[in-house]
Each structure stands twice: as C-alpha cells, then as structure tokens.
Amino acid sequence: MTTSTLPAGAATAPPGLLALLVMLAGPFMVVLDFFIVNVALPSLQHDLQASAAALEWVVAGYGLANAALLVTGGRLGDLHGRRRLFMLGTAAFTLASAACGLAPDAATLVLARIAQGAAGAMLQPQVIAMLSALFTGERRARAFAAYGIAMGLAAAGGQVIGGALIEANVASLGWRGCFLINLPIGVACLLLTPRVLPDLPGRPGSGLDVGGIVLVALTLVATVFPLVHGREHGWPAWSFALLSGSVPLAWGFARHQRSRAAAGRPPLVPPVLWQQRRYVAGLVTTLAFFCGNASLYFVLALYLQHGLHLSPLAAGSVFSVLAIGFFASSMLAPRTGRALGPAALMTGALVLAAGHAISLVLLGHVDASRIAWLLPGFLLQGWGLGMVMAPLSAAVLAGVPAEHAGVASGVMATTQQLGNALGVALIGILYFSAHGFGAALGFLFVLALVVASLARRFGRMPA
C-alpha cells in the first residue's frame, strides 16, 4: 500500500480501523508499562534485592523521564513529522523494553526504565496530534474516546496482564516477561506504520528550544527526586533545598519562554497556549486527577501482595474488577457526557471519591479470605476513573489551534506523567512511613474531591 504525504494538519480521508489500532498501540504500550510493573514490584524486589526507594524509582523514574521530554517530543513531531517521530519513539521504546527485561540489577533496571520513559515521550504526543489532524467532527470524538479507553485499559488491565505473565512464568522469565511482551507489539507497529498511516510531514527550520528543555527537566527532577528519597534519608536539608529550588527553576522557565517569544525565536511552549484559560484549567484538573491515578495502582498492588499476601495472579485478578468498572463507564462515556453535559467530569470524580470512601470504611474487615469486601469499592473506583479519563483529553484540547496541536498534546501528556510521578512519590511517603493502605486511601479520597471541584469549574468554561 502506498501512503500519501500531507502537509501537517491538512484534511484527508479518515484512516481505517487498522490505522487507529496502530496509533493506539504505541501509547498503549507506554501506559501499560507504567502500570504493569506495579504487580511485579514484590517479585523484582526479591530477585534484584531492590530497596524501597529503588521500587519507587522503577515507577517514578519512568514517569519523570516521560514527563520531562513529552513537550520536546511534541515539538519534534511538529518540526520533523509526526509519523517519523512515532516510528523512532516506537523503535527506541522496544529496545529499552528489552533492556528492562534483561536487567541484571536494580540500578540497571532503573536506568532502562528512564530510557523507556524518554522513548515513550517521543511517540505519545504524535498520536494525540495525529488523531486531531486525521479525524474531524464525530469521528474525532470517537477516536479520542477510543484513545481514552485504550489508555485506561492499559492502566487497569496492566495489573491483570502482569500477574498472568508472572504466574505463567514462560521460559522462567517471571517478572521480566512484563517488559519483554512489548517486543512483538513494537515490531508489529514498526512494520505496519508506513503502510497504514500518512506521512504528515513537519515544518523544519523553526529550531528547538534546548534551554527550555533543560529547565523543564531540572524543574521536574528538583520536584520529584526529594519526594522519593527524602523520607528514606530522614528528610535531610538537601531534600528541602531541592524542593525550594524547583520554584525559581519554574519561574526561570516561564521567563525564558517569554524572552524567546519576544526575540522572535520559537519557545518550547508557545505563549498563546497559556493565554487560553480553559486549556490551563484543564491542565490543572489533569494534574490533580493523574496524581491519584498511578498512586492508586501503586499502593494497591503493594497492599494486595505485601499486606494480604496474595500471589501476583490473584492480585492481578483483583485489579480486573477496576478494569471492568473502567471499561463499562468508558463505553458509556459519550452517552453520559450528553446526559450530564458540563457536569460529567465532576460526577466521575465524585464516583471515584465514593469508591475510595467505601474501600476505606470496609478496610478494617478485610483479610486474605475476605477480599470480596473491597470489590464494590474497587468497581466504583474503576467506574469513576473511566468517567473522567475517557473524555478528558478531548475536553482539554478543544479549541487549541491546529498549528500547536503537537506541543499542546505534549504539554497535556507531560502534565499526566508529572501527576503520575508526583502521586507515586507523595503516596509512597504515606505508605512506607508505616501509615499503610488506610492513610493512602484517605489521601486519594481527598484528592478525588479536589478533582471534582476543579472539574466543576473547568466544565463550565466555554470551549
């Protein structure tokens, strides 16, 4: 099949189902690998003799690298073509997955996870931008709904897939199979992409803001690193110094962006995006929501295996209840959105809060033989996650100028991954400081109420 070459953002016949599946397979792998590792944490901790901080870095390091480079990935797609960057990112992610699966120790695994996150940052923004460029009207709404469903199933289903892989122990791979499963998916994507996706070339010559990239990376590291390592070292002075330093670094990034724009040089993030109040409000809502997303899966996987002593497969099976709730509410999301209108996101956050509250109330009655007590709460948690996640991306990007679609999607994906990394770091402080799963659920309940409040305001703003 011969693919067409189109200018970036040009209208074309909407791609078929196979093309949509190929586009979604890339970010599905990226999200899957953020969450599939949760159920593998106890196994790899025992196998590699990893510390608690190393476990957090296996999760947070991946998210941090992803967050630091997502805007850059979006910008590179705008410059050099979205299909090209999608393929480069997929190839790099596949190689990094192999390195994770073959890691001989915890340090190597953390480094390979960072490489995975960086590679994922190259492919993720291209998919959101391609969905915006290749679909219009109702087809675009359905494409973004499919994107939200795929990402949510990767998050909730990752635990089930991981548990099954560890239990099956194919070729004695154990937890390593959770990473090596990406190899056939990545190769299939690379073979199919040139055949089913149009080229969508970029606009070369406008340059890349290297200073902005460095400032973003430093700001994120200064924020997340002390939250992960500070507790383990008794909160030394350097942890507070780094946290304090993140504020001037963020201010320096904002000033750097204004200065480049004033000088006629393209900034990493066009100032026009920050002038759109709805887009900014959507980013704040996204940050709060994703702080509770990854952290829920992180502590639940540890609680089920360390606290209740379930096997990886049994723990993964418990996660299937969340996946069922998520899938059902995601499929109903278009109908729910039409029925509830601007209140849909807020309602989803309140359902999520109710799930946390029910789990917290019933927690004291639970042991390994009575895990069913928690299942109603898990079902509501999955339902609330699906009500919010499925429509959130399209809602945040509504009204963003087409020429900034790549960067805007990169900023949104950065916000998602920053929320994931921050959530894991913050909830790790509660969980590993002997406060346990109950304190973690309390934190998640309050956070869901914050998301509901933010979503209420965001939902009422005109697109």
Side-chain angles (χ1 to χ4, degrees), residues 415-441:
T415 304
Q416 293 173 349
Q417 292 296 348
L418 175 59
N420 283 333
L422 277 176
V424 169
L426 291 171
I427 212 163
I429 295 171
L430 286 172
Y431 187 85
F432 290 118
S433 297
H435 297 295
F437 190 53
L441 282 174

Side-chain angles (χ1 to χ4, degrees), residues 16 23 42 56 86 103 132 162 189 220 257 261 301 346 350 359 367 390 414 439 459:
M23 281 189 277
E56 290 184 68
F86 176 76
S132 295
C189 277
L220 295 176
Q257 297 299 282
M346 180 190 70
L350 290 176
S359 297
D367 56 29
T414 295

Side-chain angles (χ1 to χ4, degrees), residues 12 91 109-110 129 175 189 211 265 309 317 353 355 426:
T12 182
L109 177 59
V110 169
W175 59 267
C189 277
R265 295 179 296 168
H309 307 292
S317 299
L426 291 171

Side-chain angles (χ1 to χ4, degrees), residues 169-429:
N169 198 25
V170 177
S172 300
L173 289 173
W175 59 267
R176 298 177 187 275
C178 294
F179 300 108
L180 297 178
I181 192 176
N182 292 327
L183 273 60
I185 301 174
V187 170
C189 277
L190 290 171
L191 292 175
L192 288 171
T193 295
R195 295 175 174 271
V196 300
L197 294 182
D199 192 16
L200 292 175
R203 301 184 301 278
S206 54
L208 192 64
D209 180 9
V210 177
I213 296 170
V214 172
L215 284 169
V216 166
L218 289 176
T219 302
L220 295 176
V221 170
T223 302
V224 177
F225 186 87
L227 291 176
V228 172
H229 283 281
R231 176 199 56 80
E232 191 173 68
H233 294 282
W235 299 108
W238 60 259
S239 63
F240 293 102
L242 275 176
L243 281 172
S244 301
S246 65
V247 176
L249 283 169
W251 177 83
F253 171 73
R255 183 174 180 180
H256 174 76
Q257 297 299 282
R258 289 194 298 268
S259 144
R260 281 185 66 90
R265 295 179 296 168
L268 186 63
V269 181
V272 67
L273 291 180
W274 304 122
Q275 295 167 8
Q276 298 193 23
R277 293 177 64 245
R278 177 182 167 84
Y279 177 70
V280 174
L283 292 180
V284 174
T285 306
T286 299
L287 178 67
F289 173 73
F290 277 88
C291 268
N293 188 47
S295 52
L296 168 62
Y297 298 123
F298 179 73
V299 294
L300 182 55
L302 291 174
Y303 169 70
L304 291 174
Q305 294 186 69
H306 282 168
L308 299 183
H309 307 292
L310 299 183
S311 69
L313 181 59
S317 299
V318 172
F319 275 100
S320 67
V321 178
L322 276 86
I324 290 169
F326 181 92
F327 182 75
S329 65
S330 296
M331 295 301 293
L332 293 172
R335 186 181 303 176
T336 305
R338 289 192 294 269
L340 298 177
L345 292 175
M346 180 190 70
T347 304
L350 290 176
V351 171
L352 178 60
H356 295 324
I358 290 173
S359 297
L360 183 58
V361 169
L362 296 177
L363 187 62
H365 302 281
V366 171
D367 56 29
S369 65
R370 292 188 289 183
I371 187 66
W373 283 69
L374 291 178
L375 298 186
F378 293 164
L379 185 66
L380 274 181
Q381 287 165 337
W383 196 282
L385 288 172
M387 286 184 69
V388 177
M389 192 180 297
L392 185 58
S393 296
V396 174
L397 291 173
V400 171
E403 63 270 23
H404 299 309
V407 175
S409 62
V411 173
M412 187 187 68
T414 295
T415 304
Q416 293 173 349
Q417 292 296 348
L418 175 59
N420 283 333
L422 277 176
V424 169
L426 291 171
I427 212 163
I429 295 171

Side-chain angles (χ1 to χ4, degrees), residues 24 28 59 125 138 272 293 393 455 457:
L24 296 183
F28 181 88
V59 180
E138 184 64 25
V272 67
N293 188 47
S393 296
R457 182 174 183 271

